[in-house]
Amino acid sequence: MFKTLMGGAVAVTIAIFSPAAQAAQCGNDASGFTAWVDNFKRQAPANGIPAAVVTRALADVQYNRPTIRADRGQKSFKLSFDQFMKKRGGQAIISRGKSMKASNAALFSAIERRYGVPAGPLLAIWGMETGFGGFLGDQHTLSAVTTLAYDCRRSAYFTEQLYAALQLVARGDLSPSARGAAHGEIGQTQFLPLNVLRYGADGDGDGHIDMVRSRADALASTANFLVGHGWRAGAGYQPGQPNFVAIQGWNAASVYQQAIAHIGAQIDGR
């Protein structure tokens, strides 16, 4: 049932991109965006992306100001644990997470057999990222990623994400019109494009990784991400325990890491 579609796609992404391959000089406002995109469109085919894919994927990209505002204003990660839990609705996530665990018992059992990751932390991530798929974001994904590739703050990092997004378009796993979170995160558990290439798993067996419409794909991919960041089957995942390092790989903010561990433990009854 579970197929992890990675390997070759990752190798291509790593091989085709280096900071030197960036399309043009970055910028800190909208003034140079169109020229940057035009240069990128000319360079991307030489870096392994078919010209038709580049044209189709980037036809409607625009400088995305909500993305820039979000990138400059991530204030909730500075809250205390209690403040963060209240702001993110931690108790509601725990309550609904228990119900979602019961109603999707077969799926979570299959994922745990395959990856060794129990339901709790997956439900914690799913609940905090999108309210269990209730809100996946309203920003044009390719505009968001392209804006951050152009923006000087993390241009090299997001140019790599942009190449990954184009590969997802090429293989039919990302629509050019897709919408998601402000930094270009995709689907029910909010993967950046390169992480879809690295850790994406076909949880429902249909031959594609659909992070938006398939909860099986999204949750299997999330479990595979945790395994890729050191998860060991059967070990604990609270702070100081072996699998907390995998949770740290999910998000750099310590308060977010603590929330995943706490919510997951409450759902798992640990």
Side-chain angles (χ1 to χ4, degrees), residues 47-68:
N47 287 313
I49 307 297
V53 172
V54 177
T55 299
R56 180 163 57 94
L58 301 184
D60 297 320
V61 297
Q62 299 179 358
Y63 185 78
N64 201 43
R65 288 182 173 81
T67 288
I68 296 300

Side-chain angles (χ1 to χ4, degrees), residues 32 34 49 68 93 130 166 179 202 227 232 253 267:
T34 299
I49 307 297
I68 296 300
I93 292 172
T130 66
L166 294 175
R179 291 187 172 269
D202 177 14
V227 171
R232 290 163 31 196
I267 292 170

Side-chain angles (χ1 to χ4, degrees), residues 25-103:
Q25 185 174 354
C26 64
N28 291 313
D29 57 39
S31 60
F33 180 74
T34 299
W36 190 96
V37 172
D38 288 343
N39 278 310
F40 182 88
K41 287 179 179 178
R42 288 191 289 270
Q43 288 201 10
N47 287 313
I49 307 297
V53 172
V54 177
T55 299
R56 180 163 57 94
L58 301 184
D60 297 320
V61 297
Q62 299 179 358
Y63 185 78
N64 201 43
R65 288 182 173 81
T67 288
I68 296 300
R69 286 197 296 270
D71 191 58
R72 305 294 192 262
Q74 301 181 56
K75 297 178 181 178
S76 66
F77 294 147
K78 299 177 182 178
L79 300 175
S80 70
F81 174 76
D82 289 342
Q83 291 170 330
F84 183 81
M85 286 286 289
K86 184 176 181 179
K87 183 177 180 65
R88 300 299 287 262
Q91 289 305 313
I93 292 172
I94 291 168
S95 177
R96 190 172 173 206
K98 291 178 179 178
S99 175
M100 295 293 281
K101 180 180 178 180
S103 62

Side-chain angles (χ1 to χ4, degrees), residues 5 8 44 73 108 112 126 140 164 179 185 251 259:
L5 306 182
F108 285 111
E112 186 164 9
W126 192 19
H140 183 235
R179 291 187 172 269
E185 301 96 333
N251 191 294

